[in-house]
Amino acid sequence: MYHTYKFIETLLHDFEPDITIEAIKQPYNSFNAIYHTIIHTFTANGKDYVGKATLKEFKDYIQYRFGYTDPLVLQSFAEVLARDSSRAMLEDDGRYSISCSHGYSSLMYDLTSVERDGIQHRLTYTFYADSAHMLPCRIKTFVFEENKDNEIMTLTDIEDVVLNDLQAIRYLV
């Protein structure tokens, strides 16, 4: 569950609260943001935020996490990784050391609910228009399903409720 939480945290960083399941299902429309999310969430699984994987393992991770099954989509992400000398270094054993270290900005939000119903998990976040978390403006629920043969859950839906005309604020860190 922790890795699913970190996955959502990274999605929110790369896409803002306007993330939709439609954007995720069309990987070429948001390719760079999805790739950046993949790098961050994959490396969160590794020691000191450095993940190690062959290109096949990297594609397997993407398939499980995002539910992509098109071999061309998976290959596109693997090809970018293989050329990405700022985030990936090919080791002698044929595995890539993958990392992405940089500063970040922070949205004002809280994880407000975690629910499980069979194989489905729902993590709900409340977004705020102020740093004191007194003015909620949006609620997003990320829906995941467990995979039978893998502990990585697949994102299946994003539900969005806009509470008012206020906007979630972001601070640069």
Side-chain angles (χ1 to χ4, degrees):
M1 180 58 85
Y2 173 75
H3 293 296
T4 299
Y5 165 76
K6 291 303 288 181
F7 173 69
I8 294 171
E9 296 284 308
T10 304
L11 276 177
L12 293 175
H13 178 267
D14 288 337
F15 282 95
E16 307 279 327
D18 293 326
I19 179 71
T20 64
I21 195 66
E22 290 77 22
I24 296 295
K25 288 183 178 182
Q26 300 295 322
Y28 293 116
N29 293 345
S30 303
F31 190 89
N32 290 337
I34 292 169
Y35 176 72
H36 194 225
T37 298
I38 290 166
I39 294 296
H40 274 267
T41 60
F42 183 82
T43 59
N45 297 331
K47 183 179 179 189
D48 298 325
Y49 282 86
V50 176
K52 293 196 177 273
T54 63
L55 290 179
K56 181 189 178 322
E57 291 166 335
F58 187 69
K59 290 190 287 188
D60 288 348
Y61 174 77
I62 296 166
Q63 181 176 349
Y64 279 114
R65 179 55 79 196
F66 286 93
Y68 300 144
T69 56
D70 183 343
L72 295 176
V73 169
L74 298 171
Q75 186 60 30
S76 294
F77 284 111
E79 287 172 1
V80 170
L81 179 73
R83 293 190 311 265
D84 190 354
S85 61
S86 67
R87 294 187 179 107
M89 183 170 54
L90 183 60
E91 303 289 342
D92 292 336
D93 64 359
R95 300 178 85 200
Y96 286 84
S97 290
I98 305 165
S99 181
C100 187
S101 301
H102 55 77
Y104 65 95
S105 57
S106 179
L107 282 165
M108 294 297 111
Y109 62 88
D110 286 321
L111 174 62
T112 52
S113 173
V114 177
E115 301 170 36
R116 179 180 183 193
D117 183 14
I119 64 167
Q120 192 175 72
H121 298 255
R122 302 169 65 80
L123 286 82
T124 301
Y125 289 77
T126 301
F127 292 82
Y128 300 92
D130 67 321
S131 60
H133 295 209
M134 299 286 290
L135 299 171
C137 59
R138 185 176 219 155
I139 297 172
K140 285 192 105 52
T141 300
F142 297 83
V143 182
F144 292 84
E145 286 187 7
E146 295 174 4
N147 288 297
K148 178 180 163 190
D149 299 322
N150 194 298
E151 64 186 46
I152 298 171
M153 291 191 281
T154 301
L155 178 64
T156 59
D157 198 9
I158 301 171
E159 300 165 359
D160 190 18
V161 177
V162 176
L163 302 174
N164 49 48
D165 290 339
L166 299 173
Q167 298 294 313
I169 60 171
R170 174 180 288 281
Y171 286 102
L172 295 176
V173 179

